[in-house]
Amino acid sequence: MDFNQVSEVLAPFPELESASFVHGMLVGLMSGDSEIKETVWIKKLIEEADIKSVKESFLQVLHQLYLETDAGLNGSGFDFALCIPDDTEELGFRASMLGQWAEGYLYGMGLLGKSDKDLAREVIEFLSDLGDIAGIDAAGLSEPGDEEEADFMEISEFVRMGVLMVNEELNPTQAAPIMEAECPTDTLQ
């Protein structure tokens, strides 16, 4: 989902912070509860921001965001992408949006009310790392070099892969059982 497209429909609702925050919240909810329905997510979003009315375009973009996120999380994982600005934007802005994405993810997971005792150690460690990323200070990144760009890409990929790990941990895929091959016993005699 295009960051700018989502940002455009969210612009009238500053309470929602950013497209990155909203997507992070959705992914956090979906990672914590694979059965979360689109209507439940949109209702939570509207209630949390105390939104009184929305346009159809708002609902259409959220619908598309939900479908693409569900396909990315529950597919091969190769299609899963964070809703953050592309690399044509300033690094400081992208880093800030990655921080908001992490904040939204933690918020979404928090809405589910899972405690540490419900989570594996790796998941707890990842959520702690996301807390650090959510507090990212993007000041001073307006004139980045290649090293800072590489660091940002590495952190973005860490977040993406960590989310896929958490999703798999909390919502393991159910592989079809392997059927035993039938072997006629009379041919062995």
Side-chain angles (χ1 to χ4, degrees), residues 20 23 29 47 57 62 69 74 76 133 135-136 138 156 173 177 184 186:
S20 296
H23 186 245
L29 285 167
E47 286 174 354
S57 60
L62 291 183
T69 301
N74 299 311
S76 66
I133 293 168
I136 198 166
S156 297
T173 55
D186 59 342

Side-chain angles (χ1 to χ4, degrees), residues 33 102 134 137 147 154 163 176 180:
D33 180 4
D137 181 12
E147 186 176 327
E154 186 176 320
V163 165
E180 290 186 33

Side-chain angles (χ1 to χ4, degrees), residues 74-155:
N74 299 311
S76 66
F78 295 115
D79 294 331
F80 176 69
L82 307 176
C83 186
I84 57 176
D86 64 30
D87 59 4
T88 61
E89 298 287 343
E90 284 186 5
L91 181 59
F93 179 62
R94 288 183 284 143
S96 176
M97 289 300 101
L98 180 60
Q100 284 197 9
W101 192 98
E103 182 183 341
Y105 183 87
L106 293 170
Y107 187 79
M109 288 287 284
L111 287 175
L112 298 171
K114 292 190 183 285
S115 69
D116 285 356
K117 66 182 177 193
D118 299 327
L119 304 172
R121 181 181 54 79
E122 296 84 9
V123 172
I124 294 169
E125 289 173 4
F126 176 70
L127 295 177
S128 175
D129 291 341
L130 272 188
D132 293 340
I133 293 168
I136 198 166
D137 181 12
L141 290 178
S142 58
E143 305 264 346
D146 291 341
E147 186 176 327
E148 290 84 5
E149 190 68 44
D151 289 346
F152 175 79
M153 296 304 290
E154 186 176 320
I155 293 169

